[in-house]
Amino acid sequence: MRKKLVVLSVAGALGVVHSAQAAEKPNVLFLMVDNWGWGDISSQGGQIPTPEIDKVAEEGIRFLNYNVQNQCTPSRAAMHTGRLPIRSGTYKVPILKGAADGLAPWEYTIAEMLGDDGYKTALYGKWHIGSVDGRLPIDQGYDDWYGYRGGSDEAGYTSSKDFDSSVAEVPYIWQGVKGGAPEKVKEFNLDTKKGMDAELVDKTIKFINQSISQDKPFYTYVGFTTFHSPYTVSDEFKGKSNQGTYADTQLELDHNIGRLMAALKQSGQLDNTIVIIAGDNGSGNIVDGNILKPGEEPLGSNGPWRGGLSTAFEGGMRTPAMVRYGDKVQARQVTDEIMSDLDWFSTLAHLTGNEDKIPTDRPIDSIDQSDFILGESQKSNRDYVLTYVNDELFAMKWRNYKMHFKVAYETHGRFETLTFPLVYDLERDPGEKHELWSNEGYEHSWLVQPIGKIIAETTRSMHLFPNIPTGAEFKGYGANK
């Protein structure tokens, strides 16, 4: 085997005619699913059928060991910049409203990179890495934007019994174009949220067709509302699963992704488009085999992994992820090699011929995985993942080992600082239940050497290039000297 892969069957031709489009710049369609549990697709044990999502995976690579940050904001910042979110001050979801947050305008996003190369760029849906004017998608490289500034929880504000619009802002769905001012479209509430994902798909299809008619490559990022609370589902899918709203929404997401793939095929650009489907963090509403109480609806599943959203355990760090790129990516691949959300920045730069635009004036934590994805390398180029919770290093995964320095056991739990790190072998113990250092003696203490070296190098980098405080008007390292 040319990679460390579990090959489901011998990869064959995709059955599509290879056209002159292969010589064109590839389009990019990035689909970001909110709070997506690793076990929420049928190909990874999910009980609700997801045939459209599974089909995308079958026509490319499905990553079993895809690693994200532990919350929405840091994961979206990591994907957009290729930088550890602690560097850009986006290491946690901003709770307090009104203060500047999100990416400093100085940060260089994948949208800016591709826009500088002539791509048409659009973001539809959730942004969550800048809520104030000047830090919105249209300020960070996107030509077109329709969506909301913060998190999906805002859709539930006005349904609260004591909501007071004199002291708290009514949330809105916004739209805007690069160089213009954002405009309010309509309230973001339980009613508008339930039909929003279908709207996002409609707008994406329209944008793709417009880009093609203008003979322009496109980069489109879709931030689905699914599966973030408050849980809503469109009227079309309400009750369709007979297993509750969350399960209905799983069917709806799968349908929406199928619509996008059908539109790409109809446009003639399917095999010239890099399609990435991934999540921003694991589910915070975990089944994990627990017996539901009478009347309870089944919610998200993080599969065999422990923990969830806002923890540094694998259940919070791993989400479903896959990439499809015509016949350039071998079909029917499943890999447990390490991949990070940070890596899309450099990988897409290389796949689109924009590696010369990767900034050299700042630390870039993204690792180019293009040779791995294209089958030119047998292994991933990454063998470690650093996990920060808020602004503190909680854990590091290196190869198949995981070392925790601090722990949070649940989404709304307290932090615990450990006297000695907890060490787990994820290959033998995916649930992180059997701690090695205390249970099997000190033979595993050698792990502090390779892990400590990477942490020390990262710390030195942060001394040379100090982390940007949240909301700072940062102009660049040279400008601040």
Side-chain angles (χ1 to χ4, degrees):
M1 281 184 283
R2 60 179 182 78
K3 298 180 188 175
K4 186 181 178 184
L5 296 175
V6 182
V7 181
L8 298 182
S9 64
V10 178
L14 290 179
V16 282
V17 177
H18 188 66
S19 71
Q21 292 168 355
E24 300 172 2
K25 281 190 172 293
N27 310 299
V28 180
L29 178 62
F30 198 112
L31 308 181
M32 180 72 85
V33 182
D34 209 346
N35 293 3
W36 203 12
W38 188 95
D40 274 346
I41 57 176
S42 47
S43 56
Q44 291 178 184
Q47 299 303 300
I48 301 300
T50 53
E52 299 292 347
I53 294 170
D54 294 339
K55 186 172 186 288
V56 176
E58 285 238 340
E59 294 175 344
I61 302 175
R62 176 160 56 93
F63 299 97
L64 299 179
N65 198 349
Y66 177 72
N67 298 263
V68 295
Q69 315 306 310
N70 79 313
Q71 291 180 357
C72 307
T73 293
S75 290
R76 292 159 198 266
M79 172 266 160
H80 272 90
T81 66
R83 286 161 44 80
L84 284 166
I86 191 173
R87 297 191 191 274
S88 58
T90 56
Y91 47 79
K92 66 177 180 178
V93 169
I95 301 298
L96 300 178
K97 308 295 182 182
D101 58 37
L103 297 173
W106 168 84
E107 295 284 355
Y108 191 63
T109 69
I110 188 68
E112 289 172 301
M113 177 189 292
L114 295 179
D116 287 345
D117 191 35
Y119 278 69
K120 297 288 291 181
T121 61
L123 186 148
Y124 300 122
K126 180 174 177 175
W127 172 237
H128 216 186
I129 45 178
S131 64
V132 299
D133 289 358
R135 297 189 177 212
L136 300 174
I138 53 177
D139 307 305
Q140 298 278 190
Y142 286 101
D143 297 321
D144 193 43
W145 170 49
Y146 176 89
Y148 48 110
R149 302 183 183 213
S152 292
D153 60 294
E154 295 174 0
Y157 285 4
T158 54
S159 65
S160 170
K161 177 174 67 73
D162 295 318
F163 179 78
D164 184 349
S165 61
S166 69
V167 295
E169 291 184 2
V170 174
Y172 277 86
I173 295 169
W174 298 76
Q175 66 182 11
V177 295
K178 185 186 292 184
E183 300 175 349
K184 291 178 180 177
V185 178
K186 55 189 173 184
E187 282 192 23
F188 186 36
N189 54 38
L190 295 179
D191 187 56
T192 55
K193 179 180 181 290
K194 73 178 184 179
M196 190 168 185
D197 281 358
E199 274 192 279
L200 304 181
V201 171
D202 291 342
K203 290 183 177 295
T204 300
I205 292 171
K206 182 178 179 181
F207 180 83
I208 287 172
N209 290 331
Q210 287 177 339
S211 301
I212 293 170
S213 69
Q214 296 170 12
D215 200 26
K216 292 278 191 178
F218 61 82
Y219 160 63
T220 315
Y221 174 100
V222 183
F224 287 107
T225 69
T226 308
F227 294 98
H228 200 294
S229 60
Y231 299 114
T232 58
V233 65
S234 69
D235 292 340
E236 180 184 355
F237 282 86
K238 185 175 182 180
K240 195 164 187 177
S241 71
N242 294 315
Q243 295 189 47
T245 299
Y246 191 96
D248 291 344
T249 312
Q250 289 177 284
L251 295 177
E252 183 175 21
L253 173 70
D254 191 67
H255 170 75
N256 281 326
I257 288 176
R259 287 179 60 206
L260 287 168
M261 300 305 294
L264 275 177
K265 185 176 182 179
Q266 186 174 5
S267 75
Q269 286 290 311
L270 176 59
D271 288 337
N272 190 45
T273 301
I274 302 165
V275 178
I276 299 165
I277 310 177
D280 60 353
N281 47 250
S283 176
N285 300 287
I286 310 161
V287 176
D288 282 347
N290 293 334
I291 298 174
L292 298 173
K293 297 176 183 178
E296 281 189 325
E297 294 183 359
L299 297 176
S301 170
N302 291 329
W305 314 107
R306 180 180 182 179
L309 168 66
S310 292
T311 76
F313 291 104
E314 291 293 290
M317 291 175 53
R318 296 201 196 199
T319 78
M322 58 206 68
V323 59
R324 182 200 191 280
Y325 183 16
D327 59 3
K328 294 179 178 61
V329 171
Q330 181 184 339
R332 296 185 178 92
Q333 294 184 80
V334 182
T335 177
D336 61 0
E337 291 283 310
I338 293 176
M339 178 79 178
S340 169
D341 55 359
L342 289 162
D343 297 339
W344 294 122
F345 185 85
S346 292
T347 302
L348 289 173
H350 282 78
L351 290 174
T352 60
N354 285 293
E355 56 268 29
D356 61 323
K357 295 184 177 64
I358 297 174
T360 58
D361 63 341
R362 67 201 74 183
I364 298 293
D365 304 290
S366 181
I367 294 175
D368 174 29
Q369 300 278 20
S370 58
D371 58 348
F372 173 60
I373 288 173
L374 296 175
E376 298 164 1
S377 171
Q378 293 188 353
K379 292 182 67 67
S380 164
N381 296 311
R382 175 181 291 278
D383 65 359
Y384 74 93
V385 175
L386 293 163
T387 298
Y388 291 85
V389 177
N390 292 343
D391 58 349
E392 299 182 75
L393 178 64
F394 261 50
M396 178 174 162
K397 175 160 61 180
W398 178 75
R399 297 183 181 176
N400 59 294
Y401 289 101
K402 183 82 166 289
M403 184 174 287
H404 292 263
F405 306 99
K406 299 185 178 184
V407 291
Y409 293 102
E410 55 190 7
T411 300
H412 297 283
R414 293 182 174 87
F415 295 166
E416 291 183 11
T417 300
L418 305 168
T419 52
F420 284 92
L422 302 176
V423 180
Y424 299 96
D425 182 342
L426 298 174
E427 189 171 45
R428 292 187 297 158
D429 178 26
E432 293 175 86
K433 297 176 181 178
H434 182 75
E435 201 280 313
L436 298 176
W437 199 325
S438 61
N439 290 319
E440 295 189 11
Y442 286 87
E443 62 266 28
H444 291 95
S445 62
W446 67 273
L447 289 167
V448 300
Q449 296 178 59
I451 289 175
K453 181 181 179 181
I454 293 169
I455 293 172
E457 289 172 352
T458 305
T459 302
R460 280 194 293 271
S461 170
M462 291 177 181
H463 282 304
L464 289 172
F465 297 91
N467 298 332
I468 302 170
T470 300
E473 292 297 329
F474 189 76
K475 303 296 184 182
Y477 289 102
N480 285 24
K481 288 181 180 179

